[in-house]
Protein backbone atom coordinates (compact mmCIF):
# COMPACT_ATOMS: atom_id res chain seq x y z
CA UNK A 1 0.00 0.00 0.00
CA UNK A 2 2.68 2.48 1.10
CA UNK A 3 4.91 1.22 -1.71
CA UNK A 4 2.17 1.87 -4.26
CA UNK A 5 1.81 5.46 -3.07
CA UNK A 6 5.55 6.04 -2.86
CA UNK A 7 6.15 4.99 -6.45
CA UNK A 8 2.96 6.67 -7.68
CA UNK A 9 4.08 9.99 -6.24
CA UNK A 10 7.55 9.47 -7.66
CA UNK A 11 5.89 9.01 -11.05
CA UNK A 12 3.79 12.13 -10.51
CA UNK A 13 6.82 14.27 -9.68
CA UNK A 14 8.82 12.85 -12.57
CA UNK A 15 5.90 13.59 -14.92
CA UNK A 16 5.65 17.19 -13.80
CA UNK A 17 9.40 17.73 -13.93
CA UNK A 18 9.22 16.65 -17.55
CA UNK A 19 6.18 18.86 -18.11
CA UNK A 20 7.95 21.90 -16.68
CA UNK A 21 11.05 21.27 -18.75
CA UNK A 22 8.94 20.73 -21.86
CA UNK A 23 7.64 24.27 -21.59
CA UNK A 24 10.69 25.98 -20.13
CA UNK A 25 13.41 24.58 -22.41
CA UNK A 26 13.81 25.84 -25.94
CA UNK A 27 16.14 23.30 -27.53
CA UNK A 28 14.20 20.61 -29.45
CA UNK A 29 16.37 17.77 -28.11
CA UNK A 30 15.60 18.87 -24.58
CA UNK A 31 11.90 18.98 -25.37
CA UNK A 32 11.99 15.42 -26.70
CA UNK A 33 13.95 14.34 -23.63
CA UNK A 34 11.31 15.98 -21.45
CA UNK A 35 8.51 14.15 -23.26
CA UNK A 36 10.35 10.89 -22.62
CA UNK A 37 10.63 11.71 -18.94
CA UNK A 38 6.91 12.51 -18.85
CA UNK A 39 6.05 9.16 -20.43
CA UNK A 40 8.24 7.37 -17.89
CA UNK A 41 6.31 9.08 -15.11
CA UNK A 42 3.00 7.91 -16.55
CA UNK A 43 4.30 4.34 -16.84
CA UNK A 44 5.48 4.44 -13.25
CA UNK A 45 2.03 5.52 -12.03
CA UNK A 46 0.36 2.76 -14.07
CA UNK A 47 2.64 -0.02 -12.89
CA UNK A 48 2.74 1.19 -9.29
CA UNK A 49 -1.04 1.05 -9.22
CA UNK A 50 -0.94 -2.60 -10.25
CA UNK A 51 1.72 -3.68 -7.76
CA UNK A 52 0.84 -6.18 -5.04
CA UNK A 53 3.25 -7.67 -2.52
CA UNK A 54 4.12 -11.29 -3.18
CA UNK A 55 2.12 -12.43 -0.15
CA UNK A 56 -1.13 -10.88 -1.40
CA UNK A 57 -1.44 -12.62 -4.71
CA UNK A 58 -1.26 -12.26 -8.45
CA UNK A 59 -0.38 -9.05 -10.22
CA UNK A 60 -2.74 -7.54 -12.73
CA UNK A 61 -0.91 -8.08 -16.05
CA UNK A 62 -3.07 -5.72 -18.09
CA UNK A 63 -1.28 -2.49 -17.03
CA UNK A 64 2.03 -4.22 -17.67
CA UNK A 65 1.01 -5.06 -21.21
CA UNK A 66 -0.19 -1.49 -21.71
CA UNK A 67 3.09 -0.08 -20.41
CA UNK A 68 5.02 -2.42 -22.69
CA UNK A 69 3.03 -1.09 -25.63
CA UNK A 70 3.64 2.44 -24.40
CA UNK A 71 7.41 1.98 -24.19
CA UNK A 72 7.62 0.71 -27.76
CA UNK A 73 5.41 3.51 -29.05
CA UNK A 74 7.40 6.12 -27.15
CA UNK A 75 10.64 4.86 -28.68
CA UNK A 76 9.25 5.07 -32.21
CA UNK A 77 7.78 8.51 -31.53
CA UNK A 78 11.13 9.65 -30.15
CA UNK A 79 12.95 8.44 -33.25
CA UNK A 80 10.51 10.20 -35.56
CA UNK A 81 10.64 13.41 -33.50
CA UNK A 82 14.44 13.42 -33.51
CA UNK A 83 14.59 13.04 -37.28
CA UNK A 84 11.98 15.79 -37.61
CA UNK A 85 14.02 18.07 -35.35
CA UNK A 86 17.16 17.43 -37.41
CA UNK A 87 15.30 18.11 -40.63
CA UNK A 88 13.81 21.31 -39.23
CA UNK A 89 17.24 22.57 -38.34
CA UNK A 90 18.67 21.62 -41.71
CA UNK A 91 15.93 23.20 -43.77
CA UNK A 92 15.50 26.27 -41.60
CA UNK A 93 19.20 26.98 -41.84
CA UNK A 94 19.00 26.74 -45.59
CA UNK A 95 15.98 28.99 -45.88
CA UNK A 96 17.64 31.51 -43.57
CA UNK A 97 20.96 31.43 -45.36
CA UNK A 98 20.16 31.18 -49.02
CA UNK A 99 17.99 34.23 -49.66
CA UNK A 100 20.40 36.41 -47.70
CA UNK A 101 23.43 35.29 -49.64
CA UNK A 102 21.61 35.72 -52.92
CA UNK A 103 20.51 39.19 -51.91
CA UNK A 104 24.01 40.06 -50.83
CA UNK A 105 25.37 38.99 -54.18
CA UNK A 106 22.75 40.93 -56.04
CA UNK A 107 23.40 44.05 -54.02
CA UNK A 108 27.12 43.81 -54.59
CA UNK A 109 26.52 43.30 -58.29
CA UNK A 110 24.32 46.35 -58.36
CA UNK B 1 13.94 -7.61 5.80
CA UNK B 2 10.99 -5.28 5.50
CA UNK B 3 13.08 -2.39 6.73
CA UNK B 4 15.76 -3.09 4.15
CA UNK B 5 13.19 -3.18 1.37
CA UNK B 6 11.59 0.09 2.39
CA UNK B 7 15.02 1.67 2.72
CA UNK B 8 15.77 0.45 -0.81
CA UNK B 9 12.48 1.96 -2.01
CA UNK B 10 13.24 5.34 -0.52
CA UNK B 11 16.80 5.45 -1.84
CA UNK B 12 15.63 4.39 -5.30
CA UNK B 13 12.85 7.00 -5.42
CA UNK B 14 15.15 9.78 -4.23
CA UNK B 15 17.81 8.79 -6.76
CA UNK B 16 15.24 8.70 -9.56
CA UNK B 17 13.92 12.15 -8.68
CA UNK B 18 17.42 13.57 -8.31
CA UNK B 19 18.50 12.09 -11.65
CA UNK B 20 15.41 13.48 -13.39
CA UNK B 21 16.02 16.91 -11.90
CA UNK B 22 19.71 17.05 -12.78
CA UNK B 23 18.98 15.69 -16.27
CA UNK B 24 16.48 18.41 -16.99
CA UNK B 25 18.45 21.25 -15.41
CA UNK B 26 21.94 20.56 -16.71
CA UNK B 27 23.43 22.96 -19.23
CA UNK B 28 25.10 20.35 -21.40
CA UNK B 29 22.82 18.29 -23.62
CA UNK B 30 25.35 15.46 -23.88
CA UNK B 31 25.38 15.20 -20.10
CA UNK B 32 21.59 15.27 -20.09
CA UNK B 33 21.44 12.29 -22.45
CA UNK B 34 23.94 10.35 -20.33
CA UNK B 35 21.84 11.10 -17.26
CA UNK B 36 18.76 9.98 -19.17
CA UNK B 37 20.38 6.62 -19.86
CA UNK B 38 21.26 6.12 -16.21
CA UNK B 39 17.73 7.23 -15.28
CA UNK B 40 16.34 4.54 -17.58
CA UNK B 41 18.56 1.86 -16.06
CA UNK B 42 17.44 2.77 -12.55
CA UNK B 43 13.89 2.78 -13.86
CA UNK B 44 14.42 -0.83 -14.97
CA UNK B 45 15.41 -1.57 -11.38
CA UNK B 46 12.17 0.04 -10.22
CA UNK B 47 10.19 -2.14 -12.65
CA UNK B 48 11.82 -5.24 -11.20
CA UNK B 49 10.89 -3.99 -7.74
CA UNK B 50 7.29 -3.57 -8.97
CA UNK B 51 7.34 -7.25 -10.04
CA UNK B 52 7.16 -6.38 -13.71
CA UNK B 53 10.12 -8.16 -15.30
CA UNK B 54 8.68 -7.85 -18.82
CA UNK B 55 8.54 -4.09 -18.51
CA UNK B 56 12.02 -4.05 -17.00
CA UNK B 57 13.43 -5.95 -19.98
CA UNK B 58 11.65 -3.67 -22.43
CA UNK B 59 12.82 -0.55 -20.59
CA UNK B 60 16.43 -1.70 -20.45
CA UNK B 61 16.50 -2.76 -24.10
CA UNK B 62 14.26 -0.15 -25.71
CA UNK B 63 13.93 2.80 -23.37
CA UNK B 64 17.61 2.92 -22.55
CA UNK B 65 19.58 0.84 -25.03
CA UNK B 66 17.97 2.33 -28.11
CA UNK B 67 16.71 5.78 -27.08
CA UNK B 68 20.16 6.77 -25.81
CA UNK B 69 21.97 6.03 -29.08
CA UNK B 70 19.11 7.70 -30.98
CA UNK B 71 19.66 10.89 -28.98
CA UNK B 72 23.41 10.67 -29.47
CA UNK B 73 23.14 10.28 -33.21
CA UNK B 74 20.69 13.18 -33.42
CA UNK B 75 23.02 15.28 -31.29
CA UNK B 76 25.93 14.46 -33.57
CA UNK B 77 23.88 15.29 -36.62
CA UNK B 78 22.86 18.64 -35.16
CA UNK B 79 26.37 19.50 -34.05
CA UNK B 80 27.81 18.72 -37.43
CA UNK B 81 25.13 21.00 -38.82
CA UNK B 82 26.00 23.76 -36.39
CA UNK B 83 29.64 23.61 -37.43
CA UNK B 84 28.61 24.04 -41.06
CA UNK B 85 26.32 26.83 -40.05
CA UNK B 86 29.07 28.61 -38.18
CA UNK B 87 31.32 28.35 -41.17
CA UNK B 88 28.60 29.75 -43.43
CA UNK B 89 27.68 32.40 -40.88
CA UNK B 90 31.16 33.83 -40.59
CA UNK B 91 31.60 34.02 -44.35
CA UNK B 92 28.24 35.71 -44.60
CA UNK B 93 29.10 38.20 -41.89
CA UNK B 94 32.15 39.09 -43.87
CA UNK B 95 29.96 39.58 -46.94
CA UNK B 96 27.56 41.73 -44.97
CA UNK B 97 30.41 43.82 -43.63
CA UNK B 98 31.82 44.48 -47.06
CA UNK B 99 28.33 45.32 -48.28
CA UNK B 100 27.80 47.88 -45.58
CA UNK B 101 31.21 49.34 -46.24
CA UNK B 102 30.36 49.71 -49.91
CA UNK B 103 27.13 51.41 -49.04
CA UNK C 1 18.97 25.48 -18.98
CA UNK C 2 19.17 27.10 -15.60
CA UNK C 3 15.70 26.50 -14.22
CA UNK C 4 13.91 29.57 -12.93
CA UNK C 5 16.81 31.85 -13.66
CA UNK C 6 17.87 33.34 -16.89
CA UNK C 7 21.29 34.73 -17.48
CA UNK C 8 21.01 38.33 -18.59
CA UNK C 9 23.85 40.83 -18.50
CA UNK C 10 26.04 38.27 -16.70
CA UNK C 11 23.66 38.33 -13.79
CA UNK C 12 21.31 35.56 -12.77
CA UNK C 13 17.77 36.82 -12.46
CA UNK C 14 14.52 35.19 -11.54
CA UNK C 15 12.40 34.93 -14.65
CA UNK C 16 8.81 36.00 -13.85
CA UNK C 17 7.26 33.83 -16.57
CA UNK C 18 9.10 30.74 -15.45
CA UNK C 19 8.10 31.48 -11.86
CA UNK C 20 4.48 31.74 -12.97
CA UNK C 21 4.82 28.43 -14.82
CA UNK C 22 6.39 26.91 -11.74
CA UNK C 23 3.41 27.91 -9.62
CA UNK C 24 1.03 26.59 -12.25
CA UNK C 25 2.84 23.24 -12.30
CA UNK C 26 2.92 23.15 -8.50
CA UNK C 27 -0.85 23.64 -8.41
CA UNK C 28 -1.27 20.81 -10.92
CA UNK C 29 0.96 18.57 -8.79
CA UNK C 30 -1.14 19.28 -5.71
CA UNK C 31 -4.38 18.69 -7.58
CA UNK C 32 -3.30 15.43 -9.20
CA UNK C 33 -1.66 14.33 -5.96
CA UNK C 34 -4.98 14.73 -4.18
CA UNK C 35 -6.64 12.67 -6.91
CA UNK C 36 -3.93 10.01 -6.59
CA UNK C 37 -4.52 9.85 -2.83
CA UNK C 38 -8.22 9.29 -3.36
CA UNK C 39 -7.60 6.45 -5.82
CA UNK C 40 -8.51 3.04 -4.45
CA UNK C 41 -5.09 1.39 -4.26
CA UNK C 42 -4.92 -2.31 -3.69
CA UNK C 43 -8.16 -3.30 -5.37
CA UNK C 44 -7.90 -6.63 -7.15
CA UNK C 45 -7.34 -5.87 -10.82
CA UNK C 46 -7.91 -8.21 -13.69
CA UNK C 47 -5.29 -10.63 -12.41
CA UNK C 48 -7.78 -13.31 -11.44
CA UNK C 49 -9.66 -13.16 -14.75
CA UNK C 50 -6.44 -13.40 -16.71
CA UNK C 51 -5.29 -16.34 -14.59
CA UNK C 52 -8.59 -18.17 -15.17
CA UNK C 53 -8.32 -17.72 -18.94
CA UNK C 54 -4.60 -18.51 -19.04
CA UNK C 55 -5.18 -22.11 -20.13
CA UNK C 56 -7.07 -21.04 -23.22
CA UNK C 57 -4.54 -18.44 -24.38
CA UNK C 58 -1.90 -20.95 -25.49
CA UNK C 59 0.99 -19.42 -23.50
CA UNK C 60 2.02 -19.57 -19.87
CA UNK C 61 3.18 -16.00 -19.37
CA UNK C 62 0.27 -13.74 -18.38
CA UNK C 63 1.75 -10.61 -19.92
CA UNK C 64 2.31 -12.31 -23.26
CA UNK C 65 -1.22 -13.71 -23.11
CA UNK C 66 -2.67 -10.25 -22.53
CA UNK C 67 -0.41 -8.65 -25.10
CA UNK C 68 -0.95 -11.04 -28.00
CA UNK C 69 -4.20 -12.82 -27.24
CA UNK C 70 -6.59 -10.86 -25.05
CA UNK C 71 -5.55 -7.46 -26.33
CA UNK C 72 -4.26 -8.52 -29.72
CA UNK C 73 -5.81 -5.52 -31.40
CA UNK C 74 -3.64 -3.19 -29.37
CA UNK C 75 -0.48 -4.98 -30.29
CA UNK C 76 -1.43 -5.15 -33.95
CA UNK C 77 -1.95 -1.39 -34.02
CA UNK C 78 1.30 -0.92 -32.14
CA UNK C 79 3.20 -2.83 -34.80
CA UNK C 80 1.54 -0.58 -37.35
CA UNK C 81 2.68 2.48 -35.38
CA UNK C 82 6.26 1.23 -35.64
CA UNK C 83 5.82 0.77 -39.39
CA UNK C 84 4.37 4.27 -39.63
CA UNK C 85 7.39 5.72 -37.81
CA UNK C 86 9.74 4.10 -40.33
CA UNK C 87 7.61 5.37 -43.21
CA UNK C 88 7.84 8.85 -41.72
CA UNK C 89 11.59 8.67 -41.30
CA UNK C 90 12.20 7.18 -44.73
CA UNK C 91 10.11 9.83 -46.43
CA UNK C 92 12.24 12.59 -44.96
CA UNK C 93 15.87 11.84 -45.64
CA UNK C 94 18.41 9.46 -46.97
CA UNK C 95 20.47 7.73 -44.33
CA UNK C 96 23.49 9.93 -43.60
CA UNK C 97 26.27 7.42 -44.03
CA UNK C 98 29.76 8.86 -43.71
CA UNK C 99 31.32 9.47 -47.08
CA UNK C 100 34.96 8.79 -46.35
CA UNK C 101 36.57 5.57 -45.26
CA UNK C 102 37.29 5.70 -41.57
CA UNK C 103 40.18 3.87 -39.99
CA UNK C 104 38.59 1.34 -37.67
CA UNK C 105 40.32 -0.03 -34.66
CA UNK C 106 40.70 -3.82 -34.53
CA UNK C 107 39.20 -3.79 -31.04
CA UNK C 108 35.96 -2.33 -32.34
CA UNK C 109 35.79 -4.80 -35.22
CA UNK C 110 36.48 -7.68 -32.86
CA UNK C 111 33.76 -6.54 -30.49
CA UNK C 112 31.28 -6.27 -33.35
CA UNK C 113 32.25 -9.71 -34.63
CA UNK C 114 31.82 -11.27 -31.22
CA UNK C 115 28.76 -9.43 -30.00
CA UNK C 116 26.53 -9.42 -33.06
CA UNK C 117 25.91 -13.20 -33.24
CA UNK C 118 25.53 -13.25 -29.48
CA UNK C 119 22.90 -10.53 -29.60
CA UNK C 120 20.99 -12.31 -32.35
CA UNK C 121 21.07 -15.46 -30.23
CA UNK C 122 19.85 -13.59 -27.15
CA UNK C 123 17.08 -11.97 -29.18
CA UNK C 124 15.88 -15.33 -30.48
CA UNK C 125 16.06 -16.76 -26.98
CA UNK C 126 13.98 -13.89 -25.57
CA UNK C 127 11.32 -14.48 -28.22
CA UNK C 128 11.23 -18.17 -27.37
CA UNK C 129 11.19 -17.45 -23.65
CA UNK C 130 8.25 -15.08 -24.03
CA UNK C 131 5.74 -17.93 -23.97
CA UNK C 132 6.45 -18.90 -20.37
CA UNK C 133 8.66 -16.27 -18.69
CA UNK C 134 9.49 -12.61 -19.03
CA UNK C 135 10.35 -11.77 -22.60
CA UNK C 136 8.59 -11.70 -25.92
CA UNK C 137 8.53 -10.16 -29.34
CA UNK C 138 9.31 -6.62 -28.26
CA UNK C 139 12.22 -7.45 -26.01
CA UNK C 140 13.69 -9.89 -28.52
CA UNK C 141 13.13 -7.43 -31.32
CA UNK C 142 14.82 -4.71 -29.31
CA UNK C 143 17.90 -6.87 -28.82
CA UNK C 144 17.95 -7.63 -32.57
CA UNK C 145 17.65 -3.90 -33.21
CA UNK C 146 20.53 -3.37 -30.81
CA UNK C 147 22.65 -5.71 -32.94
CA UNK C 148 21.74 -3.57 -35.96
CA UNK C 149 22.66 -0.41 -34.05
CA UNK C 150 26.03 -1.97 -33.17
CA UNK C 151 26.71 -2.64 -36.86
CA UNK C 152 25.61 0.88 -37.77
CA UNK C 153 27.79 2.48 -35.10
CA UNK C 154 30.79 0.52 -36.35
CA UNK C 155 30.12 2.10 -39.80
CA UNK C 156 30.87 -1.06 -41.72
CA UNK C 157 31.22 -0.23 -45.41
CA UNK C 158 28.81 -2.86 -46.71
CA UNK C 159 25.91 -1.36 -44.75
CA UNK C 160 25.75 1.45 -47.26
CA UNK C 161 24.88 -0.89 -50.10
CA UNK C 162 22.11 -2.75 -48.28
CA UNK C 163 19.37 -2.98 -50.89
CA UNK C 164 16.03 -1.52 -49.98
CA UNK C 165 13.73 -4.30 -51.21
CA UNK C 166 14.73 -6.96 -48.62
CA UNK C 167 14.60 -4.27 -45.97
CA UNK C 168 11.08 -3.39 -46.98
CA UNK C 169 10.05 -7.05 -46.90
CA UNK C 170 11.55 -7.47 -43.43
CA UNK C 171 9.78 -4.32 -42.23
CA UNK C 172 6.47 -5.62 -43.51
CA UNK C 173 6.86 -9.23 -42.34
CA UNK C 174 5.50 -8.68 -38.85
CA UNK C 175 2.38 -6.68 -39.73
CA UNK C 176 1.61 -8.94 -42.70
CA UNK C 177 1.91 -12.17 -40.73
CA UNK C 178 -0.13 -10.68 -37.90
CA UNK C 179 -2.79 -9.51 -40.30
CA UNK C 180 -2.98 -12.77 -42.23
CA UNK C 181 -3.31 -14.77 -39.00
CA UNK C 182 -6.07 -12.38 -37.94
CA UNK C 183 -7.81 -12.87 -41.27
CA UNK C 184 -7.48 -16.64 -40.98
CA UNK C 185 -9.10 -16.43 -37.56
CA UNK C 186 -11.85 -14.29 -39.04
CA UNK C 187 -12.55 -16.93 -41.67
CA UNK C 188 -12.27 -19.91 -39.32
CA UNK C 189 -13.80 -18.58 -36.11
CA UNK C 190 -15.88 -15.70 -37.38
CA UNK C 191 -13.98 -13.25 -35.18
CA UNK C 192 -10.99 -11.05 -35.87
CA UNK C 193 -7.92 -12.25 -33.90
CA UNK C 194 -9.82 -15.00 -32.04
CA UNK C 195 -7.29 -17.82 -32.29
CA UNK C 196 -8.57 -21.39 -32.33
CA UNK C 197 -7.84 -22.76 -28.91
CA UNK C 198 -5.79 -25.82 -29.82
CA UNK C 199 -3.36 -24.02 -32.14
CA UNK C 200 -3.18 -20.70 -30.31
CA UNK C 201 0.32 -21.35 -29.00
CA UNK C 202 1.72 -22.06 -32.45
CA UNK C 203 0.02 -19.01 -33.91
CA UNK C 204 1.37 -16.78 -31.15
CA UNK C 205 4.89 -18.11 -31.71
CA UNK C 206 4.67 -17.46 -35.46
CA UNK C 207 3.38 -13.94 -34.87
CA UNK C 208 6.04 -13.27 -32.26
CA UNK C 209 8.88 -14.44 -34.48
CA UNK C 210 7.77 -12.37 -37.45
CA UNK C 211 7.12 -9.33 -35.26
CA UNK C 212 10.50 -9.63 -33.55
CA UNK C 213 12.24 -9.67 -36.95
CA UNK C 214 10.23 -6.65 -38.09
CA UNK C 215 10.79 -4.76 -34.85
CA UNK C 216 14.53 -5.40 -35.00
CA UNK C 217 14.80 -4.14 -38.57
CA UNK C 218 12.49 -1.24 -37.75
CA UNK C 219 14.54 -0.06 -34.81
CA UNK C 220 17.81 -0.42 -36.71
CA UNK C 221 16.47 1.60 -39.64
CA UNK C 222 15.08 4.21 -37.26
CA UNK C 223 18.60 4.51 -35.88
CA UNK C 224 20.07 4.75 -39.39
CA UNK C 225 17.91 7.85 -39.75
CA UNK C 226 16.76 7.63 -43.36
CA UNK C 227 16.06 5.41 -46.30
CA UNK C 228 18.81 3.37 -47.94
CA UNK C 229 20.78 4.70 -50.84
CA UNK C 230 19.22 2.78 -53.67
CA UNK C 231 15.76 3.91 -52.69
CA UNK C 232 14.21 7.00 -54.22
CA UNK C 233 16.99 9.49 -54.86
CA UNK C 234 16.82 12.87 -53.24
CA UNK C 235 15.40 15.47 -55.59
CA UNK C 236 14.46 19.08 -55.29
CA UNK C 237 17.20 20.08 -52.90
CA UNK C 238 20.30 20.09 -55.08
CA UNK C 239 22.70 21.82 -52.71
CA UNK C 240 21.42 20.41 -49.46
CA UNK C 241 24.59 20.19 -47.40
CA UNK C 242 23.36 17.65 -44.88
CA UNK C 243 20.29 15.97 -46.32
CA UNK C 244 21.39 12.56 -47.33
CA UNK C 245 25.00 11.79 -47.89
CA UNK C 246 27.57 14.48 -48.30
CA UNK C 247 29.63 13.49 -51.25
Amino acid sequence: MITNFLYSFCGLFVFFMGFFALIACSHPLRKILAVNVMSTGVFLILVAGAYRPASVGDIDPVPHAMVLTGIVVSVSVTALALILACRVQETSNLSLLRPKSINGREESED
Amino acid sequence: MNLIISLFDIVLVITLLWLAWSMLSTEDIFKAVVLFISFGLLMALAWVRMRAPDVALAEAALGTGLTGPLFFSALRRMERLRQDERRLDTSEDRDADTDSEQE
Amino acid sequence: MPILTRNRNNRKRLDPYLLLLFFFVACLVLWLGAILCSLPMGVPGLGKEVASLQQRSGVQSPVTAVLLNFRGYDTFLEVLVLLLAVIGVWSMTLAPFPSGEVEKSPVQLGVVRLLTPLMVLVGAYLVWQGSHLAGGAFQGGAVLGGAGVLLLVAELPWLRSVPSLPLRIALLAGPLVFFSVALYCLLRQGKFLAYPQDTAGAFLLIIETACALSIGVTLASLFAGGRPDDDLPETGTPSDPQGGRTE
Side-chain angles (χ1 to χ4, degrees), chain A residues 1 4-5 8-9 12-13 15-17 19-21 23-26 30 45 48-49 51-52 58-62 64-66 68-73 75-77 79-80 83-84 87 90-91 94 98, chain C residues 1 3-4 18 21-22 24-25 28-29 32-33 36-37 39 41-47 50-51 62-63 66-67 71 74 78 81-82 85 88-89 92-93 138-139 219 222 225 234 239-243:
Chain A
M1 207 50 193
N4 294 18
F5 276 118
S8 295
F9 274 93
L12 186 76
F13 279 112
F15 175 84
F16 276 109
M17 272 182 206
F19 183 68
F20 183 81
I23 301 177
C25 300
S26 58
R30 270 180 196 288
I45 291 177
Y51 170 72
R52 304 276 173 283
D58 281 345
I59 289 189
D60 185 1
V62 178
H64 291 187
M66 277 157 65
L68 216 69
T69 312
I71 288 176
V72 177
V73 170
V75 168
S76 57
V77 166
L80 188 59
I83 297 289
L84 265 174
R87 283 303 284 169
E90 286 162 13
T91 46
L94 283 178
R98 250 204 230 119
Chain C
M1 181 207 67
I3 285 189
L4 285 186
L18 282 183
L21 177 67
F22 184 77
F24 173 63
V25 169
L28 277 178
V29 167
L32 276 179
L36 256 183
C37 281
L39 275 183
M41 287 281 179
V43 291
L46 293 169
V50 171
V63 175
V66 171
L67 206 61
R71 294 175 64 88
D74 244 17
E78 175 189 6
V81 165
L82 275 171
V89 168
M92 270 185 278
T93 48
F138 295 108
Q139 290 89 343
L219 293 172
L222 283 178
E234 198 123 16
S239 57
D240 192 345
Q242 279 297 316

Side-chain angles (χ1 to χ4, degrees), chain C residues 108-125:
Chain C
Q108 190 189 16
L109 286 179
V111 165
V112 169
R113 204 170 292 144
L114 278 176
L115 274 186
T116 312
L118 198 67
M119 286 174 90
V120 173
L121 196 67
V122 169
Y125 174 67

Side-chain angles (χ1 to χ4, degrees), chain C residues 49-73:
Chain C
E49 284 82 351
V50 171
S52 67
L53 290 172
Q54 190 75 60
Q55 284 300 316
R56 293 170 58 186
S57 69
V59 286
Q60 276 101 51
S61 158
V63 175
T64 309
V66 171
L67 206 61
L68 284 171
N69 202 333
F70 306 147
R71 294 175 64 88
Y73 243 115

